[in-house]
């Protein structure tokens, strides 16, 4: 049997390193586009201040980008080091997506990022602009492929199990690419990245405006961030991820858990605005409900039901029992391919094979599971309610707060008085952490919400790990802890230093600290 | 269009091609990292060294990342077994790689000499550790990893991190380090000038010598006293051979089998050694660009030497030879291999084309005067 300790430590390590990586990714996504927009304005207007903007925000982009690259390699390594059985079991589908991501996106961004920084004097204006756009394109393409891969984990389509090779094999790349979950995920996540970049530029520009320094520079940056940010935050909210939650079993379970909907309600379901979900009694205490809202958000209709947790449990019980039959016949087929009865039964139950594998956590043979073990597997077949309930609400709240900030920023920008609204500037500055909070919580909702699966309904997390010893995992966790802490301290220190310096760090002689020095002399 | 047999041989070749691409492109970056604290006597000289590769090293490292992705996609069992089997080694590699993006980007952002010196040593480790781990891994793959597959194809391992340090694998580390120092020094000799270039040229002579000696010893070792592997059962190359259904023998000198069947394979070790001599000769004559082409050739020939002797084995298993992963049983499905083949044939030429364009834009020597003039812009 696979040691639970190995599974839990591997999950912890993956979650921590992925969440950490995701501190840098959204900013890279957003800033690269903002840089491309600023530089486009420079090339069209020929005003040097826009070049300074591109270069200064580019410096901050560089500090962040280095960390994104550093922590990104970790994830590619970890599929092999910590999730070897997963890599074998779904490598035929998941691997090619990562391979194409490398060839199509990583090469693009990492080859052109050097020219972005060092090519200013070696390229024509237009050439450099193209380089910057290619860099931005590279970052978003990378998001596209990894989210198609992630979408497949949430809702695996276009693949089939092969008992000869003991793995899933790809049957239709078109199904995988046009997976509806992957498409919403891509738009939602990339737009969230654009929001992060915009909030970052908006908040730091607000800081300069509050201190009344580099005003012309800060006002222009503020304006671009407000416009781009408003468009992006609207996309994130309108094209919210939850619109994909009606497709597939695991997605529906996520929805029920987010909402703490214990019983199936008549359509259209209401939305629990607030309350305390109670796992033991399967009720939500002090619930404040808004009628119709959940049905509208989740199903985009008023006549489709949203399944409740109890109903999902009942369905899971049926599928686990059917999965036991699939597993038993798969074992027979592995020994004797000519057994037609086994083949027929396997074909009939193969969609539930993964549910049978859920029992491996409790008994190696699966087929000898006791009713108690089956009951435990049913209970563990959907994520816990409280973390999902709160993460989702935290994410949505952050989203709406940003919507307010960007709307106000956009409005006062249009009236050309944004730089005088000190309350707004303060709000923008203190709002800088909001997109990070939203992104991290969003990751929790999407990935913790996928449990107990790595590949929804196909491969349980418990079976996905490598055959490593707990000692090796403690060592690697300690290594990540030390490296990531030290690197984060250094990154934040450098970031703050360059934010405080502002455009003066470009040494053009045109900005705050340089002008002040001249005055002092 | 392709049958499964041809396709898998092509995919084996693509994998080797990517290994070569990584070793040639990122090899000199790793070498320069290792040489950084020793060849650069002043801060300005070190900055010259860093800026010869500063704008391009990141794209070069992407060869490794893509190699990971391609092996995941086309040879998932190979990827999974190598990465989990050498768990601690792979994490050491990863932690070594951590130091590079931040090292390059952060080092010159502050003028403080202690800050810069600390990052120089970090970049040194960022060159040394990956070079050591990768050579060590290559050595262990040639020896065979101690893994076995169970009935559900879950692999398990005997032996831990310190078991990677076997005598032959350590010799591979010497080969790897001397080769990458050679390659890095050749690049520096080409792209720098004056005292720094002269120091690089001296490194070329010593590392070429060290490489020729260690590479020859490794060859003799493989021929006479290292266990190789051979499949002894008939293989149907049209389908994925069910793993564990073949029979494999492990015996002294079997890695020379392919060489006796196809004597022309001897061209690659021969060219590796001649190439190293050529590098020294061309550098002495100051044909620095040609010397770089020669040292790239040496790198490629070293990889082909190992690959040629091992085919069709990808990762032999020393503890359970029947679990060995080969071209015939560890591949992705036919459909995936076809698709990925078209993607690769379409995308890699584009990648190589824009990489060449970027190198053209950034051509020419990096000088102390450049550093002085652009000190707030350059690494």
């Amino acid at each position: 049997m696979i040691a639970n300790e190995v599974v839990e430590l591997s999950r912890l390590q993956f979650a921590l390193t992925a969440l950490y990586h995701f501190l840098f990714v959204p900013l890279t996504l957003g800033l690269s586009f903002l840089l491309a927009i600023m530089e486009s304005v420079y090339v069209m207007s020929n005003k040097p201040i826009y070049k300074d903007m591109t270069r200064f925000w580019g410096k901050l982009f560089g500090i962040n980008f280095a960390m994104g690259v550093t922590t990104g390699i970790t994830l590619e390594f970890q599929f092999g080091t910590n999730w070897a059985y997963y890599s074998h079991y779904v490598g035929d589908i998941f691997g090619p997506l990562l391979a194409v991501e490398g060839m199509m996106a990583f090469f693009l961004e990492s080859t052109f990022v050097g020219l972005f920084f060092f090519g200013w004097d070696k390229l024509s204006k237009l050439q450099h602009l193209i380089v910057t756009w290619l860099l931005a394109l590279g970052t978003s393409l990378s998001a596209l492929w990894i989210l198609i891969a992630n979408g497949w984990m949430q809702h695996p389509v276009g693949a089939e199990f092969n008992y000869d090779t003991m793995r899933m094999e790809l049957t239709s790349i078109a199904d995988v690419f046009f997976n509806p979950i992957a498409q919403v995920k891509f738009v939602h996540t990339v737009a969230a990245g654009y929001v992060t970049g915009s909030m970052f530029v908006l908040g730091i520009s607000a800081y300069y405006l509050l201190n009344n320094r580099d005003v012309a520079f800060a006002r222009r940056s503020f304006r671009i961030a407000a416009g781009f940010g408003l468009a992006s935050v609207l996309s994130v909210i309108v094209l919210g991820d939850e619109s994909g939650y009606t497709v597939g079993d695991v997605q529906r379970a996520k929805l029920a858990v987010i909402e703490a909907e214990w019983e199936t309600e008549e359509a259209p379901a209401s939305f629990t605005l607030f309350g305390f979900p109670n796992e033991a009694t399967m009720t939500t205490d002090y619930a404040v409900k808004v009628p119709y809202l959940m049905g509208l958000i989740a199903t985009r209709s008023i006549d489709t039901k949203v399944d409740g947790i109890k109903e999902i449990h009942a369905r899971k019980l049926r599928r686990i029992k059917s999965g036991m039959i699939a597993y038993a016949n798969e074992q027979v087929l592995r020994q004797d391919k000519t057994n037609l009865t086994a083949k027929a039964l396997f074909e009939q139950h193969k969609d539930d094979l993964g549910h049978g594998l859920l029992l491996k956590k409790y008994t190696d043979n699966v087929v000898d599971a006791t009713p108690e073990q089956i009951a435990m597997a049913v209970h563990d077949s959907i994520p816990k309610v409280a973390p999902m309930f709160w993460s989702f609400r935290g994410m949505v709240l952050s989203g709406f707060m940003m919507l307010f900030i960007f709307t106000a920023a956009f409005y006062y920008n249009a009236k050309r008085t944004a730089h005088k609204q000190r309350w707004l500037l303060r709000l923008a500055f203190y709002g800088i952490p909001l997109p990070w909070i939203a992104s991290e919580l969003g990751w929790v909702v999407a990935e913790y919400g996928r449990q107990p699966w790595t590949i929804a309904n196909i491969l349980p997390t418990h079976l996905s790990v490598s055959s490593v010893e707990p000692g090796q995992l403690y060592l690697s966790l300690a290594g990540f802890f030390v490296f990531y802490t030290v690197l984060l301290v250094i990154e934040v220190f450098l970031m703050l230093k360059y934010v405080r310096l502002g455009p003066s760090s470009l040494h053009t002689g045109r900005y705050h600290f340089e002008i002040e020095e001249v005055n002092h002399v | 269009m392709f049958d499964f047999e041809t396709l898998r041989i092509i995919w084996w070749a693509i994998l080797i091609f990517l290994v070569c691409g990584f070793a040639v492109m990122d090899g000199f970056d790793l070498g320069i990292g290792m040489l950084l604290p020793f060849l650069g006597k002043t801060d300005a000289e070190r900055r010259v060294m860093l800026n010869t590769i500063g704008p391009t090293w990141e794209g070069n490292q992407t060869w490794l990342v893509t190699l990971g992705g391609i092996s995941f996609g086309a040879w998932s069992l190979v990827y999974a077994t190598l990465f989990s089997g050498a768990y601690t080694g792979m994490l050491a590699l990863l932690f070594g790689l951590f130091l590079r993006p931040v090292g390059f980007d952060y080092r010159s952002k502050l003028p403080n000499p202690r800050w810069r010196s600390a990052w120089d040593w970090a970049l040194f480790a960022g060159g040394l550790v990956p070079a050591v781990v990768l050579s060590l891994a290559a050595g262990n793959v040639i020896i065979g990893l101690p893994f076995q597959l169970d009935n559900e194809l879950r692999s398990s391992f005997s032996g831990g991190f310190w078991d990677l340090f076997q005598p032959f694998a350590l010799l591979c580390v010497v080969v790897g380090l001397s080769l990458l120092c050679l390659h890095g020094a050749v690049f520096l000799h080409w792209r720098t000038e004056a005292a720094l270039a002269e120091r690089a040229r001296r490194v070329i002579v010593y590392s070429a010598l060290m490489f020729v000696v260690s590479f020859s010893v490794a060859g003799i070792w493989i021929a006479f006293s290292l266990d190789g592997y051979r499949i002894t059962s008939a293989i149907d190359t049209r389908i994925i051979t069910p793993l564990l259904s073949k029979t494999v023998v492990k015996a002294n000198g079997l890695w020379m089998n392919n060489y006796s069947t196809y004597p022309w394979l001897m061209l690659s070790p021969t060219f590796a050694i001649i190439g190293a001599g050529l590098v020294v000769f061309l550098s002495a004559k100051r044909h620095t660009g040609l010397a770089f082409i020669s040292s790239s050739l040496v790198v490629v020939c070293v990889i082909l030497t190992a690959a040629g002797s091992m085919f069709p084995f990808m990762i032999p298993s020393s503890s359970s030879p029947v679990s060995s992963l080969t071209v015939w049983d560890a591949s992705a499905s036919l459909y995936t291999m076809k698709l990925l083949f078209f993607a690769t044939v379409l995308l890699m030429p584009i990648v190589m084309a824009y990489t060449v364009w970027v190198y053209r834009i950034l051509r020419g020597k990096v000088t102390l005067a450049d550093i002085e003039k652009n000190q707030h812009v350059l690494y």
Side-chain angles (χ1 to χ4, degrees), chain B residues 277-358:
Chain B
L278 199 61
V279 171
V280 175
F281 173 76
L282 289 168
S283 311
K285 294 283 176 196
R286 303 292 187 273
H287 294 303
T288 51
L290 286 176
F292 180 74
I293 294 175
S294 307
S295 76
S296 305
L297 177 80
V298 176
V299 172
V300 170
C301 284
V302 169
I303 292 160
L304 291 184
T305 301
S309 109
M310 290 180 67
F311 184 89
F313 283 89
M314 303 190 78
I315 306 182
S317 163
S318 56
S319 60
S320 149
V322 64
S323 297
S324 297
L325 304 177
T326 72
V327 169
W328 310 123
D329 50 29
S331 76
S333 66
L334 179 60
Y335 178 65
T336 291
M337 284 205 138
K338 269 189 191 162
L339 275 178
L340 199 51
F341 173 76
F342 291 120
T344 308
V345 169
L346 185 74
L347 292 170
M348 282 316 285
I350 300 177
V351 168
M352 290 193 284
Y354 61 62
T355 303
V356 169
W357 182 72
V358 168

Side-chain angles (χ1 to χ4, degrees), chain A residues 385-396:
Chain A
V385 176
M388 294 288 287
F389 183 88
W390 292 115
S391 300
F392 182 78
R393 279 153 188 77
M395 174 181 78
V396 171

Side-chain angles (χ1 to χ4, degrees), chain A residues 63 76 85 110 334 463 467, chain B residues 62 65 79 106 151 154-155:
Chain A
I63 295 171
E76 196 199 40
Y85 199 65
S110 60
R334 295 263 299 152
L463 290 184
S467 308
Chain B
T62 306
V65 178
Y79 162 81
Y106 296 175
N151 189 36
R154 180 181 293 278
S155 46

Side-chain angles (χ1 to χ4, degrees), chain A residues 38-51 125:
Chain A
M38 289 170 185
E39 194 174 339
S40 301
V41 179
Y42 165 60
V43 171
M44 285 185 287
S45 73
N46 219 358
K47 288 182 185 154
I49 193 166
Y50 286 100
K51 182 180 178 186
K125 263 190 199 171

Side-chain angles (χ1 to χ4, degrees), chain B residues 9-233:
Chain B
I9 294 176
I10 290 174
W11 264 109
W12 176 82
I14 293 177
L15 193 73
I16 302 299
F17 167 75
L18 286 168
V19 174
C20 291
F22 163 67
V24 168
M25 299 298 285
D26 206 31
F28 61 82
D29 300 332
L30 294 171
I32 290 171
M34 287 189 270
L35 296 171
L36 181 67
F38 309 108
L39 286 196
K41 301 291 181 196
T42 61
D43 177 59
E45 278 186 355
R46 291 179 185 189
R47 290 187 73 176
V48 168
M49 290 174 75
L50 289 177
N51 281 288
T52 57
I53 51 173
T56 46
W57 79 271
E58 206 146 351
N60 297 342
Q61 181 173 282
T62 306
W63 284 85
L64 180 67
V65 178
T66 300
L67 181 62
I70 286 282
S71 58
F72 196 170
W75 307 101
S76 8
L77 263 176
V78 173
Y79 162 81
T81 308
L82 184 63
F83 276 64
S84 61
Y87 185 83
T88 309
M90 284 297 159
L91 280 148
L93 167 62
L94 180 65
F95 293 157
L97 293 175
F98 280 175
L99 298 168
R100 302 174 80 207
V102 282
F104 277 99
D105 199 75
Y106 296 175
R107 180 198 180 276
S108 301
K109 286 232 166 0
L110 296 183
N112 181 328
R114 280 176 56 196
W115 166 273
R116 289 189 173 182
S117 159
W119 281 116
D120 289 341
W121 286 104
L123 282 164
F124 166 74
L128 181 72
V129 173
V132 169
V133 175
L134 288 168
S135 322
L136 203 59
N140 276 283
V141 167
I142 295 173
I143 297 169
L145 283 175
F147 71 96
Q148 52 213 30
L149 295 167
D150 71 8
N151 189 36
E152 295 185 338
L153 300 190
R154 180 181 293 278
S155 46
S156 56
F157 308 91
S158 44
F161 177 59
W162 298 109
D163 294 308
L164 295 176
F165 293 83
Q166 302 195 41
F168 178 77
L170 290 173
L171 178 64
C172 290
V173 172
V174 178
V175 176
L177 292 187
S178 51
L179 182 60
L180 296 183
C181 280
L182 173 71
H183 199 41
V186 169
F187 188 80
L188 281 179
H189 189 218
W190 181 26
R191 299 290 302 274
T192 64
E193 54 175 27
L196 187 57
E198 194 44 40
R199 265 175 253 144
R201 202 185 60 79
R202 257 176 285 159
V203 173
I204 293 175
V205 178
Y206 295 127
S207 50
L209 193 65
M210 177 92 106
F211 164 73
V212 169
V213 172
S214 56
F215 183 69
S216 310
V217 174
I220 295 166
W221 195 328
I222 286 180
F224 296 104
S225 82
L226 194 78
D227 280 350
Y229 300 78
R230 194 155 70 97
I231 302 177
T232 49
S233 53

Side-chain angles (χ1 to χ4, degrees), chain A residues 250-262:
Chain A
V250 169
Q251 295 291 90
R252 282 202 290 265
K254 246 184 223 178
L255 193 61
V257 171
I258 284 170
E259 164 56 9
E261 182 171 298
W262 307 99

Side-chain angles (χ1 to χ4, degrees), chain A residues 2 13 55 59 62-63 65-67 69-70 73-74 76-77 79-82 84-85 87-88 91-92 94-96 98-99 102-103 106-108 110-115 118 122-123 127 165-167 169-173 327 331 334 360 463 465-468 472-473 475-476 479-480 483-484 487 490-491 493-494 497-498 507, chain B residues 51 54-59 61-66 68-70 72-73 76-77 79-81 83-84 87-88 90-91 93-95 97-99 101-102 105-106 108-110 115 119 151-157 240 242 330-333 335-336 339-340 343-344 347-348 351 354-355 357-358 361-363 374 376-379:
Chain A
I2 297 163
Q13 182 169 303
R55 289 187 52 210
K59 263 185 196 285
I63 295 171
F65 187 78
M67 287 296 283
V69 173
T70 298
I73 309 170
T74 301
E76 196 199 40
F77 269 56
F79 291 114
T81 53
N82 293 74
Y85 199 65
S87 302
H88 154 66
D92 203 59
F94 198 84
L98 289 199
M103 293 187 286
F106 290 155
F107 266 120
L108 200 61
S110 60
T111 306
F112 287 111
V113 75
L115 266 194
F118 304 113
K122 297 190 162 91
L123 298 169
Q127 277 176 331
T165 49
M166 275 306 282
R167 64 178 180 199
E169 291 183 354
L170 185 62
T171 55
S172 163
I173 186 68
Y327 182 81
Q331 296 297 310
R334 295 263 299 152
K360 281 237 170 199
L463 290 184
V465 290
S466 304
S467 308
V468 290
Q472 292 175 300
L473 284 161
L475 191 69
S476 58
F480 280 116
F483 267 97
Y484 278 8
L487 288 177
I490 294 172
E491 200 258 3
F493 163 76
L494 268 184
K497 186 179 165 63
Y498 274 84
H507 297 271
Chain B
N51 281 288
T56 46
W57 79 271
E58 206 146 351
Q61 181 173 282
T62 306
W63 284 85
L64 180 67
V65 178
T66 300
I70 286 282
F72 196 170
S76 8
L77 263 176
Y79 162 81
T81 308
F83 276 64
S84 61
Y87 185 83
T88 309
M90 284 297 159
L91 280 148
L93 167 62
L94 180 65
F95 293 157
L97 293 175
F98 280 175
L99 298 168
V102 282
D105 199 75
Y106 296 175
S108 301
K109 286 232 166 0
L110 296 183
W115 166 273
W119 281 116
N151 189 36
E152 295 185 338
L153 300 190
R154 180 181 293 278
S155 46
S156 56
F157 308 91
I240 293 183
S331 76
S333 66
Y335 178 65
T336 291
L339 275 178
L340 199 51
T344 308
L347 292 170
M348 282 316 285
V351 168
Y354 61 62
T355 303
W357 182 72
V358 168
I361 298 286
L362 296 164
R363 69 184 175 274
N374 297 308
H376 296 295
V377 178
L378 289 176
Y379 281 149

